[in-house]
């Protein structure tokens, strides 16, 4: 009799049936993995004596919270074209966030030198983490390398839904201890994560479920413990999706905090104001980083004001069986992976005095090409039209880890800033030659290099011309940047929902968010990022469901069954910013890409509770569940 598949992630650990029985299985990093136990990763960390503090707390809230394997559902499906170029190399054109990682993975898969692989991306129709791994690339690459003929693969939506890499399904157990006055003293978080058949992002996503939720309550926290197991199952392999584990953990911890507020008869806004992390505090649960730029308190104050919290919380009966209710949540994320991510930029002066900016980060609709060009224009004191951006080519771009982990503005942006400063110095060297004076006697000025005494100057156009004739100083600069820290952006979100108790239908009428992303580089693009992330969070909370057939295949294999919200499904989303200044970021910036998806889940869940009196700890919260609970 054939062994049964491992389909229940609760029983996967130490199951008699092994998902990976192969003898050559190995873990490349020490993450607590053991294929003989179906473990992809396992770890425990803590600060203080959690059990002792919990035993001494007046109130202990315990809950188990479940989020499912949500799909990124980006507009453009996975697609890759491959050919052999005139030099006998494998040329790969793909819709990817990570050109350099694709080169590495394909070279390993085909067992060929990396020098034989050239990867580039053009415009991407959305990624959200789905294109942070190799999905479609390896198959046409193999065909082309074996046959010498061009090949392409374009996924259908059904293939995206069943053969992509969705969010990790997680079950998060929370124990939260507090005093009767609302002081949160201890947090104990355990996450069980379902990585599916392979360990794609398995060991890394899970860490964020604790490290990006527990630190929100650093202010009064005396002790914390965070433990996790990531298990292999015979489900579709999971991967990266915007929020990357923080989304799941924040849903659990923020819901537990809302449950505490309800138990104490306390306004959840007041409870958070009492306990939230403040600027200058060290966060033990966030790798002992210090919140040097933190406007979370101002975000809460402003969001409360914009939303009219006192008027809407907790619930209002509208008649006709409909009630309106409000909920609140906080969130944090990171800005790149500290000590790991590398961002790079090359900027060069070209004919007539314009600039070419080459980057290895991938714009997938996030607007990073525009933002990085803005930074370069600011540094070089020129118009935005004078900066031509070229992006994401493994041959031509300087090395960049790729567009993920909310890293581009913070990490690659700093590389742009450094490259521009270096280029200015080189331009001053060439300018000084043309002005027949020492380098120390000139400075860079808008569109020119001039003498400090103001007696003469030479234009960038003339310097560009000089660089092409009898010149020994390169008028270009390449800089890389990495950061030992990952300063978190913060956010507060408030939701107003209308619930029809008869049908269970929920409509989000208003969603108000205030975000601290440091100094917003481009407020319009930042606002669009926030609105999109909030919409995805609303979908996760209310409509995006995953169920499996008896073989473990996802039943929701089209956008008819997998219901992402449309513009008609949501009311008004309003976003504002409370600026802080992050010293280590370019122009004081932190990230914004991921933090914005994290607050809708707990905020909407709490609003639904306030409307119905029923606490839902599994997402999505469907009309059927609400109607049955009302009955």
């Amino acid at each position: 009799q054939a062994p049964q598949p491992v389909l229940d992630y609760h029983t996967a650990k130490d199951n008699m049936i092994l998902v990976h029985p192969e003898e050559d299985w190995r873990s490349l990093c020490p993450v607590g993995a053991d294929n003989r136990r179906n473990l992809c990763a396992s770890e425990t960390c803590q600060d203080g004596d959690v059990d002792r503090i919990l035993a001494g707390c007046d109130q202990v809230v315990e809950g188990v919270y479940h989020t499912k394997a949500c799909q990124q559902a980006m507009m453009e499906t996975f697609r890759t074209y491959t050919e052999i170029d005139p030099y006998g190399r494998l040329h790969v054109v793909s819709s990817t966030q990570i050109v350099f990682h694709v080169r590495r993975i394909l070279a390993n898969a085909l067992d060929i030198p990396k020098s034989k692989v050239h990867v580039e991306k053009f415009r991407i129709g959305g990624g959200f983490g789905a294109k942070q791994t190799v999905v479609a690339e390896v198959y046409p690459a193999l065909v082309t390398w074996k046959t010498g003929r061009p090949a392409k693969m374009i996924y259908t939506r059904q293939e995206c839904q069943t053969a992509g890499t969705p969010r990790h399904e997680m079950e998060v157990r929370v124990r939260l201890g507090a005093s009767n006055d609302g002081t949160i003293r201890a947090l104990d978080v355990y996450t069980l994560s379902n990585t599916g058949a392979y360990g794609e992002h398995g060991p890394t996503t899970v860490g964020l479920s604790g490290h990006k939720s527990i630190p929100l309550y650093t202010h009064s926290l005396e002790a914390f413990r965070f433990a996790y197991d990531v298990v292999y199952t015979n489900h579709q392999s999971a991967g990266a999706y915007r929020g990357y584990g923080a989304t799941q953990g924040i849903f659990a911890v923020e819901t537990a905090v809302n449950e505490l507020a309800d138990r104490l008869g306390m306004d959840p806004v007041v409870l958070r104001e009492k306990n939230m992390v403040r600027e200058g505090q060290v966060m033990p649960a966030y790798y002992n980083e210090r919140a040097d730029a933190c406007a979370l308190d101002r975000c809460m104050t402003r969001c409360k004001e914009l939303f009219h919290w006192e008027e809407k919380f907790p619930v209002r009966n509208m008649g006709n069986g409909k009630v309106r209710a409000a909920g609140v949540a906080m969130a944090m994320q990171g800005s790149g992976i500290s000590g790991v991510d590398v961002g790079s930029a090359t900027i060069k002066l070209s004919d007539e005095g314009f600039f070419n900016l080459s980057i290895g980060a991938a714009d997938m609709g996030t607007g990073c090409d525009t933002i990085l060009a803005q930074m370069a224009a600011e540094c070089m004191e020129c118009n935005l039209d004078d900066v031509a951006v070229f992006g994401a080519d493994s041959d031509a771009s300087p090395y960049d880890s790729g567009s993920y982990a909310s890293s581009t503005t913070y990490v690659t942006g700093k590389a742009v800033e450094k490259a521009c400063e270096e280029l200015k110095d080189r331009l001053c060297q060439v300018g000084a030659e043309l002005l027949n004076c020492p380098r120390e006697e000139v400075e860079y000025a808008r569109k020119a290099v001039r003498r400090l005494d103001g007696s003469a100057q030479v234009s960038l156009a003339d310097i560009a011309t000089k660089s092409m004739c009898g010149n020994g100083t390169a008028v270009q600069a390449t800089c890389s940047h990495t950061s030992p820290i990952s300063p978190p952006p913060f956010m507060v979100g408030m939701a107003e929902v209308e619930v029809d108790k008869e049908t269970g239908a929920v409509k989000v009428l208003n969603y108000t968010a205030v975000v601290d992303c440091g100094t917003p580089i481009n407020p319009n693009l930042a606002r669009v990022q926030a609105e999109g992330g909030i919409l995805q969070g609303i979908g996760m909370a209310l409509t995006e469901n995953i169920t499996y057939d008896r073989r473990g295949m996802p039943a929701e294999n089209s956008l008819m069954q997998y219901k992402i919200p449309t513009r008609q499904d949501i009311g008004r989303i309003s976003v504002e910013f409370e600026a802080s200044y992050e010293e280590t970021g370019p122009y004081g910036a932190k990230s914004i890409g991921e933090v914005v998806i994290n607050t809708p889940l707990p905020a909407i869940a709490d609003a639904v509770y306030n409307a119905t009196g029923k606490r839902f700890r599994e997402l999505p919260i469907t009309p059927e569940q609400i109607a049955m609970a009302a009955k």
Side-chain angles (χ1 to χ4, degrees):
Q1 185 179 356
Q4 294 298 307
V6 180
L7 297 179
D8 183 354
Y9 69 118
H10 297 98
T11 60
K13 182 180 174 181
D14 294 324
N15 196 302
M16 289 174 57
I17 298 160
L18 299 181
V19 177
H20 286 286
E22 53 266 28
E23 293 299 321
D24 61 350
W25 179 96
R26 60 198 176 111
S27 175
L28 299 180
C29 297
V31 292
D34 186 346
N35 66 316
R36 294 288 151 185
R37 301 184 64 197
N38 283 336
L39 272 179
C40 173
S42 182
E43 190 182 353
T44 300
C45 65
Q46 68 180 74
D47 183 67
D49 190 337
V50 175
D51 295 320
R52 181 181 63 80
I53 300 294
L54 282 171
C57 286
D58 300 322
Q59 303 286 341
V60 177
V61 173
E62 296 190 44
V64 179
Y65 308 89
H66 179 209
T67 59
K68 298 187 180 179
C70 297
Q71 293 280 354
Q72 299 89 346
M74 60 285 169
M75 286 188 291
E76 180 200 33
T77 59
F78 301 105
R79 57 199 58 212
T80 300
Y81 166 76
T82 56
E83 64 182 1
I84 300 296
D85 74 9
Y87 303 99
R89 300 170 71 214
L90 179 66
H91 178 214
V92 180
V93 180
S94 190
S95 182
T96 180
Q97 301 170 221
I98 45 161
V99 292
F100 289 98
H101 289 316
V102 169
R103 180 177 68 181
R104 170 180 57 82
I105 294 167
L106 288 183
N108 288 340
L110 301 180
D111 196 22
I112 60 177
K114 293 183 179 66
S115 60
K116 290 287 188 182
V117 184
H118 170 207
V119 182
E120 59 180 324
K121 73 95 192 162
F122 299 128
R123 292 298 179 194
I124 302 176
F128 309 117
K131 295 168 184 173
Q132 195 185 319
T133 184
V134 166
V135 175
E137 289 87 346
V138 74
Y139 307 108
L142 180 63
V143 169
T144 293
W145 192 251
K146 288 295 185 184
T147 67
R149 303 291 300 275
K152 69 178 177 180
M153 173 170 272
I154 297 176
Y155 273 40
T156 64
R157 181 59 62 184
Q158 181 178 356
E159 288 164 340
C160 274
Q161 295 289 110
T162 58
T165 52
R167 187 183 292 282
H168 287 75
E169 178 181 23
M170 290 188 190
E171 184 178 87
V172 185
R173 298 174 183 268
V174 178
R175 289 197 300 159
L176 182 155
S179 304
N180 282 331
D181 67 355
T183 303
I184 296 174
R185 300 179 58 199
L187 269 167
D188 186 7
V189 176
Y190 168 74
T191 302
L192 177 64
S193 177
N194 179 4
T195 194
Y198 299 96
E200 189 72 54
H201 296 271
T204 46
T205 48
V206 70
L208 279 66
S209 67
H211 294 306
K212 302 287 171 72
S213 59
I214 299 170
L216 285 166
Y217 295 94
T218 293
H219 185 69
S220 55
L221 207 64
E222 298 171 45
F224 82 87
R225 177 167 54 218
F226 172 43
Y228 58 76
D229 288 314
V230 184
V231 293
Y232 290 113
T233 65
N234 292 115
H235 281 303
Q236 177 182 2
S237 179
Y241 181 9
R242 187 182 206 166
Y244 201 75
T247 313
Q248 297 95 306
I250 285 170
F251 166 62
V253 170
E254 286 298 278
T255 303
V257 171
N258 284 329
E259 291 184 34
L260 173 66
D262 186 55
R263 185 184 293 187
L264 294 174
M266 196 173 188
D267 186 322
V269 167
V270 174
L271 180 63
R272 284 175 170 81
E273 288 172 337
K274 185 179 181 70
N275 292 285
M276 68 171 62
V277 63
R278 305 277 172 152
E279 192 160 273
Q281 290 185 328
V282 173
M283 300 172 284
Y286 190 61
Y287 319 108
N288 287 308
E289 283 193 25
R290 191 173 64 224
D292 286 327
C294 175
L296 184 57
D297 53 345
R298 286 187 279 122
C299 289
M300 183 65 77
T301 301
R302 183 62 177 144
C303 196
K304 184 178 177 180
E305 178 185 322
L306 289 169
F307 185 78
H308 302 295
W309 175 258
E310 281 89 353
E311 298 169 28
K312 295 175 180 175
F313 176 81
V315 65
R316 294 171 293 156
N317 194 330
M318 308 306 292
N320 299 325
K322 294 183 178 178
V323 293
R324 291 184 179 179
V328 62
M330 305 189 305
M332 61 180 280
Q333 197 77 35
S335 300
I337 305 173
S338 57
V340 174
D341 281 347
V342 173
S344 302
T346 297
I347 187 163
K348 70 175 181 178
L349 179 69
S350 293
D351 303 29
E352 298 180 340
F354 77 94
F355 297 97
N356 290 106
L357 177 65
S358 297
I359 56 172
D363 192 328
M364 48 182 162
T366 49
C368 77
D369 285 2
T370 303
I371 290 165
L372 297 175
Q374 281 183 285
M375 291 182 187
E378 180 76 16
C379 272
M380 302 311 297
E381 302 171 34
C382 65
N383 297 323
L384 188 59
D385 290 343
D386 292 329
V387 181
V389 180
F390 171 81
D393 183 309
S394 66
D395 275 10
S397 300
Y399 178 81
D400 195 290
S401 303
S403 296
Y404 59 84
S406 303
S407 62
T408 308
T409 299
Y410 177 72
V411 180
T412 308
K414 198 66 178 177
V416 170
E417 193 180 333
K418 288 162 69 172
C420 288
E421 291 301 324
E422 189 173 312
L423 178 61
K424 282 183 186 177
D425 184 61
R426 290 168 177 261
L427 297 178
C428 284
Q429 292 176 42
V430 178
E433 282 183 49
L434 289 170
L435 293 167
N436 296 311
C437 66
R439 161 69 182 86
E440 295 74 28
E441 292 182 16
V442 300
E443 65 179 355
Y444 183 85
R446 182 180 175 86
K447 288 283 189 179
V449 170
R450 68 184 176 202
R451 296 190 67 142
L452 292 175
D453 60 11
S455 60
Q457 70 175 34
V458 59
S459 70
L460 289 184
D462 288 342
I463 292 174
T465 302
K466 166 63 179 169
S467 72
M468 301 176 210
C469 181
N471 171 58
T473 303
V475 288
Q476 73 176 48
T478 299
C479 284
S480 292
H481 180 69
T482 191
S483 176
I485 61 171
S486 177
F490 297 96
M491 176 186 182
V492 171
M494 293 179 178
E496 181 187 20
V497 303
E498 183 172 86
V499 178
D500 186 327
K501 286 190 169 184
E502 189 68 30
T503 64
V506 181
K507 185 167 182 64
V508 178
L509 301 176
N510 289 291
Y511 200 93
T512 302
V514 181
V515 187
D516 162 22
C517 58
T519 303
I521 299 297
N522 185 320
N524 287 335
L525 283 175
R527 183 170 286 106
V528 171
Q529 283 276 290
E531 290 169 352
I534 289 165
L535 182 69
Q536 287 177 312
I538 291 171
M540 280 188 66
L542 295 175
T543 60
E544 297 180 34
N545 200 13
I546 294 286
T547 58
Y548 299 96
D549 66 17
R550 59 184 178 79
R551 300 172 303 148
M553 282 287 285
E556 290 74 18
N557 61 11
S558 80
L559 295 184
M560 288 292 285
Q561 289 84 29
Y562 188 77
K563 298 183 185 301
I564 59 175
T566 68
R567 184 65 189 87
Q568 291 179 314
D569 296 318
I570 55 160
R572 182 171 172 269
I573 296 177
S574 55
V575 178
E576 277 201 10
F577 301 97
E578 278 291 336
S580 61
Y581 189 86
E582 175 52 54
E583 291 283 351
T584 63
Y587 300 105
K590 298 187 287 187
S591 78
I592 193 170
E594 292 182 279
V595 69
V596 290
I597 198 175
N598 295 332
T599 60
L601 286 69
I604 290 171
D606 197 47
V608 171
Y609 166 75
N610 290 326
T612 63
K614 167 73 173 173
R615 186 71 69 182
F616 296 95
R617 297 185 178 93
E618 180 182 78
L619 299 180
I621 305 168
T622 64
E624 292 87 346
Q625 291 172 321
I626 293 171
M628 292 300 287
K631 283 184 170 59

